[in-house]
Amino acid sequence: MKAFFLNFTRIVETSPRIYWSIIFGIAACLILFVAEIVHVQMVIDALNTRDQIVLADAILPLANNYQWSRIIVMIAAICWSSWEYFQAKKRLGL
């Protein structure tokens, strides 16, 4: 187990692309979250109603689409970081 963590640390330290893939995933999720907030606020302003049922019917599909977008971004970031990890591992010969 100790050898695994030492090799893992060495691989991650030698490949900055692994860090970039993780940073990309976090930043993209944050951007999507802010975009969702702005989009929902614009829809609320455009509807100009106080009826909670109408607002919920308008906002729920938007929230679901943004949620799936964030899930796709997270999966893409995980796949990218895994790919970079295995490429770095192959280069180091471990």
Side-chain angles (χ1 to χ4, degrees), residues 53-69:
I53 296 171
V54 172
L55 288 174
D57 288 342
I59 293 171
L60 189 60
L62 289 175
N64 285 336
N65 288 341
Y66 279 105
Q67 178 184 5
W68 282 107
S69 298

Side-chain angles (χ1 to χ4, degrees), residues 10 15 18 39 51 67-68 77 91:
R10 195 167 95 198
S15 180
I18 297 172
H39 196 176
D51 188 8
Q67 178 184 5
W68 282 107
R91 275 193 309 263

Side-chain angles (χ1 to χ4, degrees), residues 26 44 76 79 82:
I26 293 169
I44 290 172
C79 290
S82 297

Side-chain angles (χ1 to χ4, degrees), residues 7-48:
N7 286 336
F8 178 78
T9 305
R10 195 167 95 198
I11 291 167
V12 170
E13 287 176 348
T14 60
S15 180
R17 289 182 177 183
I18 297 172
Y19 291 118
W20 282 113
S21 64
I22 295 168
I23 291 169
F24 165 78
I26 293 169
C29 284
L30 288 173
I31 289 169
L32 281 170
F33 185 68
V34 171
E36 178 183 4
I37 292 169
V38 171
H39 196 176
V40 167
Q41 187 62 44
M42 289 174 60
V43 167
I44 290 172
D45 291 341
L47 287 176
N48 198 17

